[in-house]
């Protein structure tokens, strides 16, 4: 019986050592997985931060684009107003020149009729 008990004790000691080694490996793997999870979490936080930054940049760019489009439309309206004013000014100048010519012709007629 003692031999059998001794043999059983040795088997249990051996099984205990195997279980201790497995437990250490499991603990190491668990620690490593915890570290990987932490790294992924940091990476995700960084990605979220980068996404937030990119989103903020896009919002800022969109806002700037809208402002520039509004400014551009305002400048286009001013250009059109200036073109219209320029056209009106040219028309007025042409009418003035025509009236000057007509005035000179009428002046010549008046002078000619006074001479006769």
């Amino acid at each position: 019986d003692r031999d059998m008990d001794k043999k059983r004790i040795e088997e249990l000691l051996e099984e205990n050592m195997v279980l201790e080694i497995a437990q250490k490996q499991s603990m190491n793997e668990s620690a490593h997985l915890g570290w990987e999870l932490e790294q992924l979490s940091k990476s995700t936080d960084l990605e979220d931060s980068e996404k937030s930054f990119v989103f903020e940049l896009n919002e800022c760019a969109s806002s700037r684009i809208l402002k520039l489009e509004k400014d551009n439309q305002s400048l286009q309206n001013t250009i059109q107003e200036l073109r219209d004013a320029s056209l009106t000014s040219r028309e007025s100048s042409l009418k003035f020149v025509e009236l000057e010519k007509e005035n000179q012709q009428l002046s010549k007629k008046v002078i000619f009729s006074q001479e006769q």
Side-chain angles (χ1 to χ4, degrees), residues 73-92:
Q73 186 61 43
S74 175
L75 291 171
Q76 291 289 343
N77 289 340
T78 302
I79 288 170
Q80 188 58 46
E81 289 171 7
L82 290 172
R83 283 182 180 154
D84 292 346
S86 175
L87 182 60
T88 303
S89 176
R90 277 191 231 131
E91 288 172 354
S92 295

Side-chain angles (χ1 to χ4, degrees), residues 19-54:
L19 288 174
E20 282 181 14
I21 290 171
Q23 181 186 15
K24 285 180 183 178
Q25 285 177 341
S26 177
M27 296 278 284
N28 285 340
E29 286 179 20
S30 178
H32 183 71
L33 288 174
W35 178 82
E36 283 184 1
L37 185 61
E38 185 179 328
Q39 295 305 311
L40 284 174
S41 177
K42 286 180 182 176
S43 175
T44 302
D45 289 347
L46 189 59
E47 286 175 10
D48 288 347
S49 176
E50 288 173 357
K51 286 178 185 175
S52 175
F53 180 67
V54 168

Side-chain angles (χ1 to χ4, degrees), residues 4-6 9 15 19 21 46 48 51 55 62 85 91 94 102-103 110 115:
M4 280 187 61
D5 285 345
K6 198 173 184 181
I9 290 174
E15 188 178 332
L19 288 174
I21 290 171
L46 189 59
D48 288 347
K51 286 178 185 175
F55 179 77
S62 294
E91 288 172 354
L94 288 174
E102 188 179 339
N103 189 22
V110 168
E115 290 178 351

